[in-house]
Amino acid sequence: MTEALKSSSPQPERPAVDDIDRTVHAQLARLTMGLSPASMGAAMLDWLGHLALSPGKQQALARQALASLAEGANAELPSHDRRFAAPEWQRWPFNRLAQNFQRQERWWQAATTGVHGVSPHHEQQAAFLARQWLDMFSPSNFLWTNPEVLATTVKSGGANLLQGAKHQWQDTLQLLTGKQADGAAPFQPGKDVAITPGKVVFRNHLIELIQYAPQTETVFAEPLLIVPPWIMKFYILDLSPADSLVRYMVEQGHSVFIISWRNPGAEDRDLGMDDYLKSGVLAALDAISAIVPERQVQALGYCLGGTLLSIAAAYLARSGDKRLNSLTLLTSEMDFTEPGELSLFIDESQLHLLEDMMADKGYLEGGQMAGAFTMMNARDLLWSRLVNAYLMGKRPAPSDLGAWNADATRMPYRQHSEYLRGLYRDNDLAQGRYQVDGKPVALPDIRLPIFSLGALRDTVAPWRSVYKIHLLTRGEITFCLSSGGHNVGVVSPPGPGVARSYQLATHSPDANYIDPDSWVASAPAFEGSWWPAWANWLQQHSGARVAPPAMGNEAAGYAPLDDAPGRYVLMP
């Protein structure tokens, strides 16, 4: 490991007496998918204790239960619940099963929320646990209570169940052997995805910087740097050609560079946020400045890559460094007071359990993070998939996005702890306490034009949380709200296919603040992909078109090293 990447203040050694506790906690965390039983138990005790002392709330819940019974079979099934959307669910007795289940969901939602005295964090945890329990026992999850499965079984003579048993056996073998998931194999980086032509022009222990070959006779003068999050491989932005944002921007005439993060191992346990800033974003910016000298850079960050880019922009502004020309932040939070259901995993008990799990290996397994996201939306990401695979006997068609999603990455022990504590728990960046080189960076120092994207159904970075950028920076902000979720809302290429839409409006620095609900009620709405709107915005903040730059700059020490997508993306 290079000296630049060695931690200047390594984590203190834990007393030997803690080793037993740490080992027990690590094993426990693997069984509970990172959920702390102590934290969840405290939440349930807080909720139950205050509910027991709230006779008014108890009466309201009793009245709701009686009213639900009085509804009988007159209530219709909500059309938005995809579990019960098929026509078969409208027939007796399955309509009654679904109606009774949905009444239970509404009752438990009412029971676990609005109890006076329960802390907001514990209320969220109690509601989460109740929802997880109910989702597990939905009538849609079982053969004899799911009319779609029964109809398919009769029609196929049970072939769906035989195929489902085969799927279950395949998944069990995959779990035991760790082999790649079915559906990922047809989409290999460098062969089917991440195939936009380019060269690796810089490499250190943490990143490879890829420069993409021009596809137009002239390009915009300002190069574009893309900073993906380190919790996923970069090629979500360079999937198959039709879905590749990278290819789209190259075809629009931009000189595109992207960071490919190295998948860390045990030897990287002491890499921290400072390393990801300096040996990641700033090192990439230095390379671009040498390859395309005397040009300002358009910078794009996605998810936590956008958060890191915001830190870099504030640091550069503090230093008087004018190399950035604009910021594009895709589903990126700066203020973490309302991070959605990720906050379920952010309290002292949860963090200690997670750190104990990471301590023995030096990193967090990629599957652990994927498991947390699955739990947050278990209805769609777990149970409906199990029903389709094991009862209906159907697998989803292989897709580039599905293959990428299965290509999980790890996170270093120290860095993962630092961003969970400093950003999510303590909200240091928004509060002006986040330090670089011993001094805090200030987001209001960022005076660049900003394009900020939120996604309507994003549960990882809720769009109202992303919208808080209006309260934190002083530049012109163009805010775009895309249909879709955290990934599909970003990977939204123009052209035929799934219906897409977005809202877009620009807020000048001297205009009064507009709250998010007022914004969504008044911002113009458009059909289609947001990509062309962003390309148009980027063009407005670009200079003249010039001849494409050379690939790398050998004289400056940035000779091309490998063809894209490089080596790091292929690391297991």
Side-chain angles (χ1 to χ4, degrees), residues 98-179:
Q99 289 163 0
N100 289 336
F101 178 74
Q102 290 178 324
R103 291 187 190 109
Q104 291 180 56
E105 286 187 313
R106 291 193 296 269
W107 189 90
W108 278 103
Q109 175 64 20
T112 53
T113 57
V115 180
H116 293 301
V118 179
S119 74
H121 181 60
H122 283 166
E123 178 181 274
Q124 191 176 29
Q125 288 179 310
F128 171 79
L129 288 174
R131 191 176 72 245
Q132 293 294 311
W133 185 259
L134 286 169
D135 283 346
M136 186 187 308
F137 291 103
S138 168
S140 60
N141 294 344
F142 302 96
L143 169 62
W144 299 112
T145 54
N146 187 324
E148 293 180 83
V149 175
L150 290 173
T152 300
T153 302
V154 171
K155 184 176 180 180
S156 69
N160 57 309
L161 299 180
L162 290 174
Q163 186 64 34
K166 179 181 177 181
H167 291 160
Q168 191 168 14
W169 175 245
Q170 291 172 341
D171 291 347
T172 302
L173 286 179
Q174 179 189 322
L175 185 65
L176 294 174
T177 62
K179 291 183 179 179

Side-chain angles (χ1 to χ4, degrees), residues 451-452 478-481 502-506 519 523-526 533-534 537:
F451 185 102
S452 178
T478 297
F479 190 78
C480 180
L481 182 61
Y502 65 95
Q503 292 178 263
L504 183 75
T506 298
W519 185 93
F526 305 90
W534 173 58
W537 178 89

Side-chain angles (χ1 to χ4, degrees), residues 83-314:
R83 294 172 298 182
F84 311 119
E88 290 88 347
W89 285 101
Q90 301 301 326
R91 295 195 292 268
W92 187 91
F94 304 107
N95 59 345
R96 296 298 300 271
L97 287 172
Q99 289 163 0
N100 289 336
F101 178 74
Q102 290 178 324
R103 291 187 190 109
Q104 291 180 56
E105 286 187 313
R106 291 193 296 269
W107 189 90
W108 278 103
Q109 175 64 20
T112 53
T113 57
V115 180
H116 293 301
V118 179
S119 74
H121 181 60
H122 283 166
E123 178 181 274
Q124 191 176 29
Q125 288 179 310
F128 171 79
L129 288 174
R131 191 176 72 245
Q132 293 294 311
W133 185 259
L134 286 169
D135 283 346
M136 186 187 308
F137 291 103
S138 168
S140 60
N141 294 344
F142 302 96
L143 169 62
W144 299 112
T145 54
N146 187 324
E148 293 180 83
V149 175
L150 290 173
T152 300
T153 302
V154 171
K155 184 176 180 180
S156 69
N160 57 309
L161 299 180
L162 290 174
Q163 186 64 34
K166 179 181 177 181
H167 291 160
Q168 191 168 14
W169 175 245
Q170 291 172 341
D171 291 347
T172 302
L173 286 179
Q174 179 189 322
L175 185 65
L176 294 174
T177 62
K179 291 183 179 179
Q180 196 172 33
D182 287 347
F187 295 95
Q188 295 294 319
K191 297 180 180 179
D192 311 284
V193 292
I195 59 174
T196 304
K199 298 286 185 181
V200 175
V201 293
F202 172 70
R203 178 186 295 123
N204 62 22
H205 181 74
L206 188 58
I207 70 166
E208 289 181 330
L209 181 67
I210 299 170
Q211 178 184 1
Y212 291 96
Q215 297 185 18
T216 53
E217 292 185 2
T218 61
V219 296
F220 292 103
E222 297 83 0
L224 171 65
L225 169 62
I226 299 178
V227 183
W230 56 89
I231 63 172
M232 57 180 72
K233 293 192 176 180
F234 82 89
Y235 66 90
I236 186 174
L237 299 176
D238 187 25
L239 294 169
S240 53
D243 294 332
S244 171
L245 180 61
V246 166
R247 180 178 289 267
Y248 178 80
M249 294 312 296
V250 172
E251 291 174 345
Q252 299 300 307
H254 291 275
S255 297
V256 179
F257 295 78
I258 196 168
I259 289 174
S260 173
W261 298 102
R262 182 176 176 273
N263 205 6
E267 71 278 10
D268 303 310
R269 64 182 301 121
D270 287 326
L271 294 184
M273 286 291 291
D274 245 19
D275 298 310
Y276 276 70
L277 173 65
K278 295 178 179 178
S279 297
V281 178
L282 298 182
L285 191 59
D286 289 343
I288 294 172
S289 297
I291 294 169
V292 192
E294 300 181 359
R295 305 269 181 87
Q296 287 189 303
V297 176
Q298 318 271 32
L300 177 152
Y302 178 19
C303 185
L304 285 172
T307 305
L308 186 64
L309 179 60
S310 301
I311 294 170

Side-chain angles (χ1 to χ4, degrees), residues 18-91:
D18 288 346
D19 287 347
I20 295 176
D21 291 343
R22 185 170 63 188
T23 301
V24 171
H25 295 165
Q27 296 302 321
L28 179 63
R30 291 186 180 94
L31 291 174
T32 63
M33 298 185 73
L35 287 177
S36 166
S39 178
M40 292 298 173
M44 297 307 293
L45 286 174
D46 187 9
W47 167 67
L48 282 170
H50 284 92
L51 181 61
L53 298 174
S54 302
K57 179 70 171 180
Q58 294 173 27
Q59 290 179 11
L61 292 173
R63 287 195 298 269
Q64 181 176 339
L66 291 172
S68 294
L69 289 175
E71 284 181 3
N74 297 324
E76 293 185 1
L77 294 173
S79 58
H80 60 79
D81 194 330
R82 289 182 290 181
R83 294 172 298 182
F84 311 119
E88 290 88 347
W89 285 101
Q90 301 301 326
R91 295 195 292 268

